[in-house]
């Protein structure tokens, strides 16, 4: 999980070793970071191959001389004769000679795990072997714990010498990104009941990217049955910490407990004050704790200290009673106020002490400071902690509204919607009607982002019902927000009535945005341009971020209507500005739409690059991952790139998009996702996805790929339900995209008629001409193939939309040389292989690309040349 790059590097090193260019890979990472799992995945890639693989594991106690190395060699079916030599140097030379002899007979992969515990003989032998490894058919992989390295002098010495060798490569496993931790939790749950979003978020936060800790915390969450069981730690983690602390005396244990109350980081002077002990006594205890790897000394001036892992601190803290810790937190808070400490420390300790007035003051300040620094998760935490000191409904509403704003900016749409609703309830209690309307609009927006249009619509209707007719401005805001939920479902008539009712808001940017959205859903490009210009003018008053949002909306609309060239210009012009201003969600959405535009034009390298750029954006909001999943599936299916699909379309993003009742969100992803499942052999699963999607879609806007997939891959009921969309497509036929989709669907449906081949060919020809005008070669090629013209399909961009990306590196090399007109004999000489091997490569190329001869291959390669 999250280690695909590292896995590929190991595979590449093994292939190089098989060619006689051996290497040593040093694989490091803290305990629980996934070293053993990566090794297990790598071993799966060589199962049944030519390499002989052996693994040896060093143990903390009782390693025999050369034990791990001998174990690895024995597992690789190569016994090592360890007859006694005259000296250590000769003994090491004999060990190395035995390994070299084994590698001459066969390609070997030797893996030594937990080298931090290896005996000195094994470590010295590794150094001896590594000195000649460059000419051996040997890949040597050595794993060790980075956190244990400073206390293993023998290993540290070995590594310092190995690092200088050109054949040595280093792979350091760091913490997993939050995105991968969430995916790990999702996959580990499997078919079990889902965890609440808050429980998953807690696991992500507490594990700090450590996969082992994530799994242990997940186990704890699954085992927890009481609704208020608290944040208990897994027994495996707690037992490990308890065992380390067993060697402490009573005084040291007391100092450790006080440090745990102070927090993960602390300084010795403050700890001494809290403990009421002389500083030298505290320093002696800290030295002992450092030796036990419970705390680390941080090289600062003055020096500070930190627990090695937050879970270590929690394990110690959890052994204390509330009656013990609350007075300590209160005392810490009072001492810190005198020293001028920051709001974050003061707020935490006041909250932990249950000191309401201080908690409100310091935590709200901490939240405000965090918001100013765009640390939205920290801001939300501050506002929620401040709630314990709120004395009035207005105070609760203010804090809940701030927390909701933080969650919304952090991409936690479902959390934000819930907080906005709670804030609205608090302001209702306080009698502030204007704030209530604003909060319901904000709640509606976040529920829509999360894909829950039903909840959004229900809450808005409830809000409208409670506002009397005389409150014109609040009702106008709510009516406009409700109109968006109808446009999400392509329900134009109801939306138009609500937009008309919201006339009091017609000078707002939201009103212009609604006009733009309504025109797009109708497929009226002229009206879109007029409304977009109005929208942009209104946003100019609101600031740069609003202007960028308006420009993105225009680019997205053009993309949805098939005006690709202009759409791409708009979006690519936006990207640098979005990156500069760190508008993460918009940046990911822009990358996703740019990828789709490039994919339509069969510019696969640019499409992939846009997706990779989107994936590199840290922690975007909810809509970004859903859009990126749709783009990743579209490109990944076309390129037969399983890895791209898995990285860009994690299950949680796909499922959220499929649950969405927003037409363009669901319509963009369901078709590509069904094609991916179909390509993997899951025909029933693909049909089920399409069946549900077609039953849910409200119109054709943004749904062309899903409608085409429904008539091509869907079951009889799905195809029957998809056909009524033809009238909706015809109503939007002024846009070539929708006319092409209708002809495409009719061609598939006609082909199913027993004597309708001519009709199918006619519709396919019409679709091909429209797709050619749009500049969509892959779509054109697909319908040409449908009409029976496979050769033309291959040459315009084929069912081979993947084209040469399906080939291996050597096959691409051969294809390029064939395109230059080089005959097979000269190809064989140039590549230093037999002519028969060249012929096998060319046969494979033809089969993968659906070509018949060298001429078609040459034309295809010419078409792909820049």
């Amino acid at each position: 999980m999250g280690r695909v790059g590292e896995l590929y590097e190991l595979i590449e090193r093994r292939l190089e070793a098989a060619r006689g260019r051996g290497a040593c890979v040093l694989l490091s990472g803290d305990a629980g970071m996934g070293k053993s799992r990566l090794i297990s995945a790598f071993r799966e890639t060589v199962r049944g191959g030519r390499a002989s693989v052996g693994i040896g594991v060093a143990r903390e106690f009782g390693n025999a001389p050369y034990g791990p190395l001998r174990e690895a060699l024995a597992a690789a079916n190569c016994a090592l004769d360890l007859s006694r030599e005259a000296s250590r140097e000769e003994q090491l030379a004999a060990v190395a000679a035995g390994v070299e002899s084994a590698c001459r007979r066969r390609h070997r992969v030797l893996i030594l795990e937990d080298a931090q515990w290896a005996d000195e003989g094994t470590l010295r032998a590794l150094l001896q072997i590594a000195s000649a490894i460059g000419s051996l058919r040997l890949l040597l992989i050595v794993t060790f714990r980075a956190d244990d390295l400073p206390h293993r002098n023998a290993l540290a010495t070995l590594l310092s010498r190995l690092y200088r060798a050109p054949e040595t490569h280093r792979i350091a496993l760091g913490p997993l990104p939050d995105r991968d931790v969430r995916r790990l939790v999702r996959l580990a749950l499997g078919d079990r009941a889902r965890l609440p979003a808050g429980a998953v978020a807690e696991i992500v936060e507490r594990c700090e990217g450590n996969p082992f800790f994530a799994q242990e915390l997940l186990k704890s969450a699954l085992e927890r049955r009481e609704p208020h069981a608290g944040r208990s730690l897994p027994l495996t983690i707690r037992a490990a910490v308890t065992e380390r602390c067993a060697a402490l005396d009573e005084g040291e244990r007391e100092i450790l407990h006080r440090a745990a109350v102070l927090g993960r980081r602390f300084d010795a002077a403050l700890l001494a004050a809290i403990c009421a002990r002389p500083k030298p006594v505290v320093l002696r205890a800290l030295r002992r704790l450092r030796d036990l790897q419970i705390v680390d000394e941080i090289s600062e001036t003055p020096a500070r200290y930190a627990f090695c892992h937050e879970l270590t601190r929690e394990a110690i803290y959890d052994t204390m009673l509330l009656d013990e810790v609350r007075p300590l937190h209160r005392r810490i808070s009072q001492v810190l106020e005198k020293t001028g400490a920051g709001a974050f420390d003061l707020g935490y300790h006041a909250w932990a002490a249950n000191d309401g007035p201080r908690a409100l003051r310091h935590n709200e300040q901490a939240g405000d400071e965090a918001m100013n620094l765009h640390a939205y998760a920290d801001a939300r935490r501050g506002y929620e902690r401040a709630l314990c000191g709120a004395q009035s409904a207005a105070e609760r509403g203010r804090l809940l509204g701030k927390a909701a704003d933080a969650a919304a900016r952090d991409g936690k749409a479902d959390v934000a919607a819930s907080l906005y609703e709670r804030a609205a309830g608090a302001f209702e209690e306080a009698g502030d009607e204007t704030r209530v309307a604003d909060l319901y609009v904000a709640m509606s927006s976040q529920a829509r982002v999360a894909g829950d249009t039903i909840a959004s619509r229900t809450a808005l209707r409830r809000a409208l019902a409670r506002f009397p007719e005389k409150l014109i401005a609040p009702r106008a805001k709510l009516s406009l927000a409700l109109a968006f939920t109808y446009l999400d479902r392509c329900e134009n008539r109801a939306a138009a009535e609500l937009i008309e009712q919201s006339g009091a808001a017609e000078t707002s940017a939201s009103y212009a945005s609604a006009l733009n959205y309504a025109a797009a859903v109708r497929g009226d490009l002229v009206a879109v341009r007029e409304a977009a210009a109005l929208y942009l003018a209104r946003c100019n008053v609101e600031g740069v971020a609003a202007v960028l949002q308006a420009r993105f909306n225009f680019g997205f609309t053009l993309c949805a209507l098939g005006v690709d060239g202009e759409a791409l210009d708009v979006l690519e012009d936006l990207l640098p500005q979005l990156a500069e201003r760190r508008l993460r969600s918009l940046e990911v959405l822009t990358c996703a739409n740019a990828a789709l535009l490039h994919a339509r034009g069969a510019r696969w390298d640019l499409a992939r690059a846009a997706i990779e750029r989107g994936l590199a954006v840290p922690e975007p909001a909810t809509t970004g991952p859903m859009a990126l999943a749709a783009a990743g599936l579209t490109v990944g299916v076309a390129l037969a790139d399983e890895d791209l699909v898995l990285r860009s379309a994690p299950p949680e993003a796909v499922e959220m998009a499929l649950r969405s009742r927003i037409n363009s969100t669901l319509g963009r992803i369901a078709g590509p996702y069904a094609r991916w499942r179909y390509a993997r052999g899951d025909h029933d699963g693909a049909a089920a996805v399409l069946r549900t999607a077609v039953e849910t879609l409200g119109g054709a806007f943004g749904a062309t790929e899903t409608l085409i997939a429904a008539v091509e891959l869907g079951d009889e009921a799905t195809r029957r339900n998809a056909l009524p969309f033809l009238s909706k497509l015809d109503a939007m036929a002024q846009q070539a995209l929708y006319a092409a989709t209708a002809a495409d669907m009719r061609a598939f449906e006609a082909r199913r008629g027993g004597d309708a081949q001519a009709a199918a060919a006619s519709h396919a020809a019409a679709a091909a001409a429209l797709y050619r005008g749009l500049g969509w070669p892959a779509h054109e090629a697909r319908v040409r193939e449908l009409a029976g013209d496979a050769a033309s399909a291959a040459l315009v961009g084929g069912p081979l939309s993947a084209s040469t990306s399906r080939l291996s590196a050597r096959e691409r090399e051969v294809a390029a040389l064939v395109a230059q007109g080089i005959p097979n004999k000269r190809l064989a000489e140039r590549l230093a292989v037999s002519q028969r091997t060249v012929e096998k490569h060319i046969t494979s190329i033809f089969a993968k690309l659906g070509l018949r001869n060298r001429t078609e291959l040459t034309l295809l390669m010419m078409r792909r040349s820049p």
Side-chain angles (χ1 to χ4, degrees):
M1 181 62 60
R3 310 298 190 196
V4 173
E6 291 86 348
L7 177 59
Y8 283 173
E9 182 173 352
L10 290 176
I11 293 171
E12 184 60 32
R13 298 301 169 204
R14 184 190 69 78
L15 294 174
E16 288 292 314
R19 301 184 188 107
R21 295 188 291 272
C24 175
V25 176
L26 303 176
L27 175 59
S28 64
D30 291 349
M33 207 57 75
K35 299 182 295 297
S36 296
R37 183 67 191 90
L38 175 59
I39 291 297
S40 177
F42 169 70
R43 291 179 70 188
E44 287 295 320
T45 69
V46 293
R47 189 180 298 276
R50 295 182 178 180
S52 178
V53 182
I55 186 166
V57 180
R59 295 161 181 80
E60 189 167 7
F61 303 106
N63 284 310
Y66 308 103
L69 181 58
R70 295 177 68 182
E71 182 183 356
L73 286 166
N77 299 316
C78 177
L80 178 62
D81 182 11
L82 271 182
S83 57
R84 181 181 178 84
E85 302 293 338
S87 65
R88 183 171 65 181
E89 289 72 23
E90 292 176 13
Q91 187 74 69
L92 293 171
V95 172
V99 173
E100 291 175 22
S101 175
C103 294
R104 282 195 294 269
R105 296 191 299 272
R106 192 178 181 189
H107 169 211
R108 309 281 177 178
V109 176
L110 298 181
I111 303 168
L112 277 82
E113 287 204 76
D114 290 329
Q116 75 275 359
W117 292 326
D119 60 285
E120 188 175 358
T122 293
L123 296 177
R124 289 182 179 274
L126 291 179
L127 191 59
Q128 187 89 3
I129 295 166
S131 64
I133 201 169
S135 60
L136 301 179
R137 296 167 63 199
L138 170 64
L139 174 61
L140 179 62
I141 303 174
V142 181
T143 78
F144 59 95
R145 292 185 183 177
D147 52 350
D148 215 6
L149 185 58
H151 306 280
R152 306 289 174 179
N153 293 330
L155 179 59
T157 301
L158 166 73
L159 293 177
S160 66
R161 297 176 65 180
L162 282 178
Y163 285 159
R164 297 191 291 269
E167 295 83 8
T168 298
H169 306 273
R170 302 164 68 175
I171 298 177
L173 299 186
L176 291 175
D178 290 355
R179 179 189 296 127
D180 284 337
V181 175
R182 283 193 291 270
R183 186 171 167 221
L184 175 66
V185 170
R186 176 69 181 169
L187 294 180
L189 279 172
D191 295 329
R192 301 181 185 88
R194 293 180 182 174
L195 284 180
V200 175
E202 181 178 312
I203 291 171
V204 171
E205 176 188 356
R206 297 174 73 202
C207 78
E208 297 186 350
N210 187 301
F212 168 73
F213 287 156
Q215 288 179 309
E216 292 300 319
L217 289 165
L218 176 59
K219 292 175 188 174
S220 178
L222 291 173
E223 292 166 358
R224 205 182 302 163
R225 290 292 177 260
E226 298 79 15
H228 303 292
R231 287 164 53 103
S232 59
L233 283 170
L235 290 176
T236 49
I237 299 175
R238 191 184 304 169
V241 174
T242 301
E243 185 178 352
R244 283 187 178 184
C245 296
L248 298 174
D249 63 30
E250 189 61 34
E252 292 167 340
R253 194 172 292 111
E254 180 184 346
I255 291 171
L256 174 62
H257 287 171
R258 300 304 185 267
V261 176
L262 272 174
R264 185 169 181 182
R265 288 189 171 212
F266 54 90
D267 64 64
L270 181 59
L271 179 59
I274 299 302
C275 296
R277 299 284 189 91
K279 188 175 179 180
V281 173
V282 171
L283 289 175
R284 281 197 298 272
L286 290 175
R287 188 178 299 110
R288 175 77 167 136
L289 296 174
R290 183 195 62 186
D291 292 342
L292 289 172
Q293 299 175 47
I294 297 173
V295 302
D296 284 330
E297 184 178 18
I298 303 172
S299 298
E300 295 179 0
T301 304
R304 299 193 73 207
Y305 300 85
F307 285 88
C308 294
H309 198 283
E310 174 59 19
L311 293 182
T312 304
R313 187 196 71 81
E314 284 188 34
I316 296 163
Y317 187 93
D318 286 352
T319 64
M320 304 175 70
L321 301 172
L322 280 177
D323 284 343
E324 293 179 286
V325 299
R326 281 182 174 168
L328 288 172
H329 280 298
R330 187 184 297 273
R331 182 176 177 185
I332 292 168
S333 178
Q334 293 167 348
V335 171
L336 288 176
E337 280 183 337
K338 295 177 182 178
T339 64
F344 294 94
D345 285 339
L346 291 169
Y348 166 71
H349 289 292
W351 169 77
N354 201 27
D355 186 343
R358 279 195 175 94
L360 174 61
R361 181 172 70 254
H362 295 312
N363 280 300
E364 186 171 14
Q365 181 185 345
D368 291 343
E369 291 178 8
M371 283 294 283
N372 290 334
L373 296 172
H374 309 289
Y376 302 124
D378 292 335
R380 187 179 119 214
R381 184 183 299 114
Y383 296 135
E384 289 179 334
R385 284 176 175 171
L387 282 167
C388 74
Q391 298 297 312
S392 67
E395 280 184 333
R396 289 201 314 277
R398 183 185 74 242
L399 293 170
L400 286 166
K402 285 184 172 185
D405 289 342
R409 294 192 183 188
D410 198 28
K412 306 296 189 294
D414 52 345
V415 175
S418 174
L419 288 168
Y420 279 129
E421 193 163 18
R422 289 174 60 194
F427 278 113
E428 282 187 63
E429 185 181 337
D432 190 337
E433 303 290 358
T434 302
R435 288 290 291 142
V436 171
D438 289 339
L439 288 164
Y440 269 113
V441 169
M443 184 279 300
S444 167
S445 174
Q446 290 303 306
R448 287 179 61 234
V449 166
D452 194 349
T453 56
I454 300 301
S456 173
R457 190 178 292 183
T458 301
L460 289 169
R461 285 172 174 162
R462 187 171 69 245
L464 271 171
R466 68 173 306 279
F467 279 95
E469 294 289 340
K470 63 181 181 180
L471 295 176
I472 298 174
R475 287 186 64 84
K477 288 181 182 179
L478 293 167
S479 295
L480 202 57
L482 188 55
F484 276 93
T485 70
Y486 281 99
L487 290 170
D488 288 340
R489 304 284 303 125
C490 296
E491 298 173 32
N492 295 10
R493 183 174 300 177
E497 292 175 1
L498 286 163
I499 293 172
E500 186 176 349
Q501 291 172 19
S502 65
E506 64 182 13
T507 59
S508 70
S510 295
Y511 183 85
S513 177
L515 292 177
N516 178 66
Y517 194 1
V521 170
R522 294 195 309 271
D524 187 342
L525 184 58
V526 173
V528 163
R529 294 189 186 281
E530 293 175 357
L534 178 64
Y535 181 28
L536 184 60
R538 299 274 169 81
C539 287
N540 278 323
V541 180
E542 298 188 7
V544 175
V547 168
L548 294 175
Q549 177 71 64
R551 288 170 59 196
F552 166 79
N553 285 1
F554 181 51
F556 168 80
T557 301
L558 293 175
C559 179
L561 296 180
V563 189
D564 287 12
E566 186 179 356
L568 193 58
D569 288 343
V570 171
L571 296 174
E572 290 191 334
D573 184 57
L574 270 178
L575 274 172
Q577 300 169 69
L578 297 174
E580 180 183 356
R581 293 185 174 272
R582 299 182 181 179
L583 297 173
R584 303 302 195 193
S585 185
L586 270 185
E587 185 179 359
V588 174
L589 287 166
T590 303
C591 288
N593 281 275
L596 286 174
L597 290 166
H598 285 306
R600 290 171 176 177
R603 298 180 295 273
W604 303 109
D605 291 344
L606 294 176
R608 184 195 297 276
I611 292 170
E612 295 291 356
R613 175 169 179 171
L615 288 172
V617 175
E619 298 304 311
T622 307
T623 49
M626 288 194 292
L628 206 59
L633 283 161
T634 300
V635 177
V637 168
L639 299 178
D641 189 336
E642 184 85 356
D643 173 64
L644 183 65
V645 170
L646 293 175
R647 288 188 297 115
S648 58
E652 59 270 21
V654 173
E655 289 177 14
M656 182 174 289
L658 291 175
R659 290 197 305 270
S660 170
R661 297 180 66 84
I662 297 176
N663 216 77
S664 57
T665 301
L666 173 60
R668 280 190 171 190
I669 200 167
Y673 182 59
R675 290 189 185 280
W676 178 66
R677 295 186 69 162
Y678 193 91
R680 301 176 84 204
D682 185 7
H683 296 182
D684 291 341
V689 168
L690 293 169
R691 187 184 314 118
T692 302
V694 170
E695 290 171 354
T696 306
L697 289 171
F701 177 72
T704 54
E705 294 301 318
T706 293
L707 293 174
I708 292 168
V711 296
E712 182 182 353
L713 305 178
D715 55 27
E716 184 61 36
T718 299
R719 293 196 299 272
R720 189 167 53 249
N721 288 336
L723 291 180
F725 284 88
L726 286 170
S727 61
K728 299 179 180 182
L729 289 164
D730 291 339
M732 302 170 72
Q734 67 270 29
Q735 295 306 126
L737 161 60
Y738 294 99
T741 301
D744 199 337
M745 292 172 63
R746 286 187 170 105
F748 270 105
E749 197 58 27
R751 192 178 69 166
R752 289 192 171 85
D755 56 353
Q757 189 58 40
S762 175
H763 290 307
L770 288 164
Y771 284 136
R772 178 174 284 273
L774 287 166
W776 294 15
H779 288 68
E780 179 189 352
R782 180 172 46 74
V783 293
R784 285 187 182 276
E785 185 184 32
L786 179 63
D789 190 0
S792 296
L795 297 180
V796 297
L800 331 162
S801 52
S803 68
T804 57
S805 64
R806 293 186 176 183
L807 306 180
S808 68
R810 176 50 69 100
E811 286 170 343
R812 286 195 294 272
E813 184 180 7
V814 170
L817 294 172
V818 168
Q820 297 173 26
I822 299 174
N824 290 0
K825 184 176 180 181
R826 285 181 54 200
L827 271 176
E829 295 171 354
R830 184 161 179 171
L831 298 175
V833 297
S834 70
Q835 189 169 333
R836 185 175 179 182
T837 299
V838 169
E839 291 168 354
K840 285 183 178 180
H841 283 314
I842 293 175
T843 300
S844 175
I845 291 167
F846 288 169
K848 288 182 179 180
L849 299 184
L851 303 177
R852 295 171 294 187
N853 52 51
R854 294 169 70 100
T855 301
E856 289 185 358
L857 177 58
T858 300
L859 289 172
L860 178 63
M861 296 301 292
M862 289 172 63
R863 178 175 59 79
R864 286 184 57 82
S865 299

